[in-house]
Amino acid sequence: MIGYKDNILMCEDIDIRELAEVYDSPFYIYSKNDILNKIRFLKDIFSSLDNVLIAYAVKAENNLSILKMMADEGIGADVVSIGETLKYIKAGGKAENIVFSGVAKTEEEIRKSIELNIKRFNIESIPEAVRINNIAKEMKKRVKCSIRVNPNVDAHTHEKITTGVTGNKFGISIKTIRENANLLKSLDNISIESLSMHIGSQMTDSEPFYKAILAMKDFINDVNSMGFNITDIDIGGGYGVRYDKNSSGFDFEHFKSKSINLLKEMNLNVTTEPGRYFVAESGALIMRVEYIKEELGRKYAILDGGMNDYIRVAMYDAYNDICPLVKKENVSNYDFVGPICESSDFFAYNRECSFIEEADYVALLDAGAYGFSMSSNYNSRPLISQIMVDKDKHYVIRKRQTFEDMIANEII
Ligand code: LLP
């Protein structure tokens, strides 16, 4: 719910210019009710299935306040580090609703997760299965696991965020699982009750999802005939959002009529791990125009926020809308660039935008997912603040780092 009302950019009921007066630029804003709407929408999509865990992929945005919203709504967590686990629990989440994915789980992370009694490990390799089994044995426990299958289905998304085709480091191929079935069955301290997948992120076409679930269906029958008893399926995340408002987002209609129906037929307990979908469109990065620089026919809008605050454009050629806080009639074309000493530090080239000048503010829209969570101190720039907006109220959910915070762990 960030959008224009009478040419003024609003976040819920607040004129974003008011926020720019109160908080030091740059800063992130989030619309609380947009996140809640997305959560409720997705719950509704899955509502015809009996036993579903929606586990938020914490990596998309891990602010405690946002994790608390998830926990309060009964949303579980898909984590990839013990840090994410501890944050979700600190925010009020229950360990029994945590699934632990990721290719490099350390012994310490595994031990701590077993102690906490998380729901299950999503195993990404045979040596990991052996390691979890050994640790569980030492702790005299039997732990629940899922095998992350690489179904080799192309998700039709950016090459850097596709994860379910041969050649990605994620999951285990069907061939390897077959070859190691006896070894896996001999591991007495793990119980393999589930198969999981995650074929990619920012998918808009839901057909690959359907194809991958279909492949999993056949494979589950296969695995059961090898002597396993699979009761659960984890279909991963990947629901795309509308970064470009002329494009369509994830095709939930198709997903509901095909994938949900297929899942219903399969009659298994279902887990899904949405990350981006819950938070991307709720967030914006607000930045100040430091200079307008005109040079050899180009017009640069030089902003105070850079790729250290939002790296997705530099890293994935991502598209985000950039909007002035007040829309004027005249337009011009700008290169929106940041302060970092890298040519890849830009947000858009030659983008038409209503007229802006020095000391105006702009909003980089749909920046709520993989925005702050991928930010860094590059160029010795402190991590910026995060502000939550709830109707006509706003409050800080993360304070800006001070210079002292930034150097606190360094030793001279
Ligand atoms: N589950 C697993 C096992 C994952 O690896 C991921 C994302 C998710 C769930 C959540 O996917 P989502 O629903 O958010 O698409 N930094 C990249 C995205 C990387 C996604 C990695 N895995 C970006 O900014 O586009």
Side-chain angles (χ1 to χ4, degrees):
M1 283 184 287
I2 298 177
Y4 285 105
K5 195 171 159 197
D6 300 329
N7 292 328
I8 306 293
L9 194 67
M10 307 286 290
C11 181
E12 303 205 9
D13 299 336
I14 293 189
D15 177 340
I16 298 176
R17 285 176 303 179
E18 282 174 31
L19 301 177
E21 273 173 24
V22 178
Y23 302 108
D24 286 338
S25 174
F27 58 94
Y28 275 98
I29 57 171
Y30 301 86
S31 155
K32 182 170 184 176
N33 290 290
D34 192 83
I35 300 176
L36 288 174
N37 288 344
K38 298 282 175 12
I39 293 174
R40 289 165 192 169
F41 178 83
L42 203 73
K43 277 186 183 169
D44 188 55
I45 294 284
F46 280 87
S47 62
S48 62
L49 300 177
D50 285 338
N51 201 341
V52 179
L53 172 68
I54 299 180
Y56 169 61
V58 173
K59 61 173 86 69
E61 174 46 52
N62 60 41
N63 184 286
L64 288 174
S65 181
I66 290 177
L67 295 182
K68 180 171 185 314
M69 285 172 63
M70 299 292 165
D72 288 350
E73 284 288 309
I75 300 293
D78 164 54
V79 303
V80 289
S81 71
I82 196 69
E84 289 188 345
T85 298
L86 296 176
K87 283 193 83 169
Y88 175 70
I89 291 175
K90 173 129 193 128
K94 292 190 186 131
E96 69 203 45
N97 290 333
I98 296 177
V99 295
F100 189 179
S101 308
V103 294
K105 301 174 190 82
T106 65
E107 288 186 10
E108 200 182 326
E109 287 179 314
I110 293 168
R111 196 163 287 121
K112 184 81 189 157
S113 305
I114 297 177
E115 264 168 31
L116 289 167
N117 244 332
I118 65 164
K119 182 178 175 71
R120 76 165 79 98
F121 292 92
N122 283 349
I123 293 176
E124 306 244 12
S125 67
I126 304 295
E128 182 192 327
V130 172
R131 180 183 281 186
I132 296 175
N133 184 66
N134 289 344
I135 295 171
K137 190 177 209 160
E138 197 187 291
M139 295 172 75
K140 299 193 172 49
K141 293 259 173 100
R142 185 169 158 89
V143 298
K144 292 182 180 159
C145 293
S146 182
I147 298 181
R148 177 165 174 186
V149 181
N150 184 333
N152 195 19
V153 171
D154 186 356
H156 303 154
T157 184
H158 191 280
E159 57 171 314
K160 285 194 182 156
I161 52 176
T162 187
T163 49
V165 290
T166 305
N168 295 139
K169 69 178 174 183
F170 302 102
I172 313 182
S173 69
I174 292 178
K175 180 170 176 281
T176 307
I177 297 172
R178 279 208 184 98
E179 286 166 3
N180 289 278
N182 285 337
L183 167 68
L184 289 169
K185 271 190 292 180
S186 73
L187 302 174
D188 288 336
N189 292 76
I190 64 176
S191 138
I192 298 173
E193 58 170 26
S194 164
L195 294 188
S196 53
M197 65 178 217
H198 174 80
I199 59 171
S201 199
Q202 182 52 18
M203 289 190 276
T204 47
D205 183 2
S206 101
E207 186 65 18
F209 229 126
Y210 174 71
K211 282 200 183 127
I213 299 172
L214 208 54
M216 294 285 278
K217 182 181 176 206
D218 288 345
F219 191 53
I220 287 172
N221 290 336
D222 241 28
V223 168
N224 283 340
S225 67
M226 291 176 214
F228 293 90
N229 180 20
I230 302 299
T231 55
D232 291 52
I233 182 170
D234 181 338
I235 61 169
Y239 311 99
V241 302
R242 290 173 64 222
Y243 285 111
D244 176 352
K245 300 303 172 214
N246 296 317
S247 69
S248 44
F250 186 74
D251 188 353
F252 279 108
E253 278 308 308
H254 176 277
F255 179 76
K256 209 170 160 178
S257 67
K258 294 197 74 177
S259 300
I260 294 283
N261 274 341
L262 176 59
L263 289 168
K264 219 185 277 177
E265 252 173 56
M266 289 164 69
N267 201 21
L268 297 168
N269 304 321
V270 175
T271 301
T272 185
E273 304 164 353
R276 182 189 322 265
Y277 177 72
F278 281 163
V279 288
E281 292 177 6
S282 80
L285 171 58
I286 311 300
M287 297 173 279
R288 185 182 136 98
V289 179
E290 289 295 333
Y291 301 98
I292 300 289
K293 168 173 162 178
E294 296 195 40
E295 179 72 29
L296 303 176
R298 299 194 81 89
K299 222 182 210 181
Y300 298 92
I302 303 181
L303 308 174
D304 65 354
M307 66 191 278
N308 70 304
D309 301 307
Y310 187 80
I311 203 171
R312 298 192 64 261
V313 180
M315 198 157 166
Y316 316 113
D317 305 313
Y319 176 92
N320 289 81
D321 276 340
I322 302 179
C323 296
L325 301 192
V326 183
K327 216 195 270 181
K328 299 181 189 136
E329 247 174 48
N330 293 345
V331 295
S332 191
N333 278 37
Y334 298 91
D335 289 352
F336 288 94
V337 303
I340 306 285
C341 295
E342 302 256 0
S343 304
S344 53
D345 181 33
F346 72 98
F347 296 112
Y349 282 133
N350 206 20
R351 178 83 60 84
E352 188 178 285
C353 177
S354 113
F355 191 73
I356 45 173
E357 49 196 336
E358 192 173 308
D360 281 346
Y361 290 86
V362 294
L364 183 86
L365 299 189
D366 309 310
Y370 306 106
F372 185 87
S373 68
M374 291 180 77
S375 63
S376 76
N377 286 124
Y378 189 39
N379 277 203
S380 292
R381 290 163 51 83
L383 297 179
I384 63 180
S385 55
Q386 295 176 290
I387 312 300
M388 183 64 79
V389 174
D390 179 7
K391 300 192 183 93
D392 59 353
K393 299 201 167 46
H394 55 89
Y395 46 92
V396 179
I397 57 171
R398 180 183 190 107
K399 288 195 261 181
R400 165 184 288 272
Q401 253 185 349
T402 61
F403 174 72
E404 293 305 326
D405 295 335
M406 190 171 68
I407 61 167
N409 292 337
E410 293 182 41
I411 295 159
I412 211 162

